[in-house]
Amino acid sequence: MSEPLIRFRDVDFSYGPDRPVLCGCNFQLAAGQRVALVGPNGSGKTTLLHLVVGLLEPDAGRIEAFGQVRRSQHDFHEVRRRAGLLFQDADDQLFCPTVAEDVAFGPLNLGKPRGQIRRIVAETLDSLGLAGYEHRITYRLSGGEKRLVALAAVLAMQPDVLLLDEPASGLDERATDRLAEILAGLPQAMVVVSHDRGFLERTTAETLRLCDGRVETAA
Amino acid sequence: MIRHASPFAPVHARSAFVGRVDPRLRIVAAVALSVLVALADRFAVLGSALAVSVLGLALSGLPWRVVLRRLLPLNAVMLLLLLVLPLTSGGTPWGRLGPLEFSWEGLWLGVAIALKGNAIVLVLLALLGSVDATTLGHALSHLRVPDKLTHLLLFTVRYLDVLHREYLRLRAAMKVRGFRPRMNRHTYRTFGYLVGMLLVRSFDRSERIAAAMKCRGFRGRFYMLDHFVFSRRDVPFGLTSLAVLLVLALMEWT
């Protein structure tokens, strides 16, 4: 097996002394691997995703991503480009007035030329069935549309790994079906956090369970 | 091009002459005219400015009812000034009511202020009333207004609705448990909690937004995707505005 894209080695993390979350957590994700991450509320699923992209810092242990150990915020700049995190609440992620600007935000930060960005925006929206949404106002979109635009914004960074935090929550059946279909067709390695078994079965190939601060392979 | 991307703007204002002019030019013209009116003292200038702003409003295609509704609070204040200033500023009296004496100077001062206020509000409405907040933010940023201010405007526009929905959810949660506002301590405390909760939630949300932005490579600088372009249509507007400004300035300072 090739070098994993992401690897946690004995990672500890707590939100203060009375709220330990991860404890000696080991976890890895290889290229093309599609993993469902399950566990009770508050077991640290979101925390784990935030640790991957350096939004949180571990108390102990080591986080390796894309072949390097990542410690400082500077190390994580590259990780954030290559690992796209989809937030639980799309309203947190879509802050630009129009869809096109929001999708372009990541590529603009990466300093890509404008012509190329316009192409990326058009292609990304098109691939998600959102062609023609460029000039829609983000906060007037429906919940399902917001989720897809947020996904487009993540995909526009052209990441190698997708970290999806409850991507199907709050969506109706049709929107969930559409999202599952899109995710199943994406080539990236992904970690999907969800409580929806049906959704996970359609989008992922294996299941990991977070339990007592550790990741276990679920039976 | 960003002009077609503004669904907030009234549709009928689009087809009008002013509605198609580059927003940057409109901002500059509106600010210049407002400053001039604020500085001017002569009634001829103030009257002309008011006439020009009414004309501009007619060209902008904004519905009169909207305009009148916006002028109402302003003119309520102006009426108050017209009543109070003749009493307080002293000078040549033109009438008296018991111990109260009304002066000409005060009356003219009140009229001048009312003219100025209305002219400025009408100019701003005529030129910027049909620009949606998003475009306004972008135009300001292209005019080199500090990034922090334009971001503040853009973020406010974006999250006002989210916060409003949060407020409505909290209010609904209060209502379904039988809360009805009254004049008592329970009500004050409850509203205190409501505002406090909104603040806490807004703060949390801002943290999450900042995190989401970081994840997409944000390092403290915004880049604009859209650019404005001057077009030939903007020339007549620009020249007309310049001419109006010059004439008014000459009337005032010669």
Side-chain angles (χ1 to χ4, degrees):
Chain A
M1 206 170 107
S2 63
E3 179 80 359
L5 296 173
I6 288 160
R7 176 156 42 195
F8 279 30
R9 286 184 196 261
D10 299 318
V11 169
D12 290 357
F13 181 85
S14 69
Y15 293 101
D18 50 343
R19 275 189 67 200
V21 183
L22 299 182
C23 182
C25 175
N26 287 294
F27 161 78
Q28 63 181 44
L29 184 76
Q33 207 180 354
R34 306 166 77 90
V35 174
L37 187 61
V38 299
N41 294 122
S43 58
K45 304 183 293 293
T46 300
T47 305
L48 189 142
L49 298 188
H50 285 204
L51 281 165
V52 172
V53 291
L55 291 175
L56 299 171
E57 285 174 24
D59 301 331
R62 215 160 69 168
I63 294 174
E64 298 166 21
F66 308 107
Q68 282 177 39
V69 178
R70 309 285 176 167
R71 289 180 208 284
S72 67
Q73 282 298 307
H74 187 262
D75 294 341
F76 279 103
H77 284 152
E78 194 207 345
V79 180
R80 288 177 195 149
R81 186 184 72 67
R82 298 183 61 184
L85 174 60
L86 185 75
F87 279 61
Q88 264 180 38
D89 187 348
D91 268 319
D92 292 337
Q93 210 164 344
L94 304 177
F95 63 90
C96 295
T98 68
V99 169
E101 284 171 297
D102 218 292
V103 176
F105 177 74
L108 280 171
N109 286 329
L110 300 181
K112 303 209 171 191
R114 269 165 217 282
Q116 199 186 335
I117 289 175
R118 276 177 207 286
R119 215 188 57 237
I120 294 175
V121 170
E123 282 173 2
T124 313
L125 288 177
D126 201 36
S127 72
L128 299 183
L130 295 171
Y133 272 63
E134 280 87 346
H135 297 293
R136 296 277 295 273
I137 301 291
T138 47
Y139 69 79
R140 304 239 169 134
L141 299 172
S142 75
E145 290 169 333
K146 272 185 192 166
R147 194 63 53 88
L148 287 180
V149 171
L151 180 63
V154 170
L155 290 176
M157 304 276 286
Q158 301 170 320
D160 301 320
V161 174
L162 287 174
L163 308 166
L164 309 168
D165 198 350
E166 308 257 9
S169 72
L171 299 188
D172 65 22
E173 211 170 321
R174 252 183 65 202
T176 308
D177 285 349
R178 191 170 164 201
L179 184 66
E181 204 176 301
I182 287 167
L183 291 182
L186 290 174
Q188 282 94 345
M190 56 179 79
V191 181
V192 184
V193 169
S194 179
H195 294 289
D196 182 340
R197 275 174 189 282
F199 183 79
L200 288 176
E201 273 167 23
R202 287 153 66 190
T203 51
T204 58
E206 53 200 295
T207 304
L208 296 178
R209 180 177 299 281
L210 248 177
C211 196
D212 302 324
R214 285 164 210 270
V215 173
E216 299 163 358
T217 316
Chain B
M1 276 283 290
I2 197 167
R3 277 182 211 146
H4 52 283
S6 41
F8 295 169
V11 180
H12 39 81
R14 324 252 65 213
S15 55
F17 167 67
V18 178
R20 277 178 290 171
V21 175
D22 191 313
R24 289 174 299 175
L25 195 57
R26 285 195 262 168
I27 294 175
V28 172
V31 169
L33 205 59
S34 303
V35 169
L36 197 146
V37 169
L39 293 177
D41 286 321
R42 296 189 185 168
F43 277 98
V45 177
L46 296 180
S48 315
L50 190 65
V52 167
S53 62
V54 170
L55 196 71
L57 205 63
L59 283 174
S60 77
L62 281 183
W64 288 101
R65 276 184 48 190
V66 175
V67 175
L68 289 179
R69 212 168 15 202
R70 299 220 180 151
L71 285 180
L72 219 57
L74 172 76
N75 282 300
V77 178
M78 292 304 167
L79 198 67
L80 201 70
L81 279 181
L82 270 179
L83 286 175
V84 174
L85 278 176
L87 290 174
T88 52
S89 42
T92 332
W94 60 273
R96 65 175 47 246
L97 187 77
L100 303 175
E101 200 169 73
F102 296 90
S103 76
W104 283 111
E105 282 81 356
L107 182 69
W108 290 126
L109 189 62
V111 171
I113 292 175
L115 280 177
K116 283 181 187 210
N118 280 296
I120 290 176
V121 169
L122 286 178
V123 160
L124 289 176
L125 272 178
L127 296 185
L128 302 177
S130 59
V131 183
D132 62 83
T134 311
T135 312
L136 190 65
H138 280 177
L140 286 174
S141 130
H142 281 289
L143 287 170
R144 307 257 178 270
V145 169
D147 279 352
K148 278 190 180 134
L149 289 179
T150 54
H151 296 161
L152 216 53
L153 178 73
L154 288 175
F155 274 98
T156 307
V157 171
R158 171 62 183 85
Y159 284 102
L160 208 56
D161 181 63
V162 174
L163 290 179
H164 183 65
R165 269 182 290 148
E166 215 135 64
Y167 164 79
L168 290 181
R169 269 201 299 279
L170 290 172
R171 272 313 295 269
M174 287 157 73
K175 258 187 219 154
V176 295
R177 286 198 282 161
F179 175 77
R180 277 164 61 192
R182 291 198 184 81
M183 281 298 197
N184 57 23
R185 273 184 63 172
H186 173 64
T187 303
Y188 303 144
R189 192 172 44 228
T190 308
F191 274 113
Y193 289 160
L194 175 68
V195 173
M197 206 53 176
L198 266 180
L199 280 175
V200 171
R201 288 189 184 200
S202 315
F203 181 74
D204 279 354
R205 187 176 287 281
S206 68
E207 300 261 279
R208 293 199 300 273
I209 293 164
M213 289 169 71
K214 260 196 202 165
C215 279
R216 292 202 274 153
F218 182 68
R219 297 194 206 171
R221 212 183 125 37
F222 273 96
Y223 305 89
M224 293 269 169
L225 182 61
D226 288 300
H227 284 290
F228 296 104
V229 276
F230 278 113
S231 70
R232 215 179 292 162
R233 261 200 307 262
D234 299 333
V235 174
F237 175 83
L239 289 180
T240 315
S241 311
L242 198 64
V244 168
L245 280 171
L246 278 178
V247 169
L248 289 179
L250 283 174
M251 280 165 74
E252 173 71 26
W253 287 294
T254 49

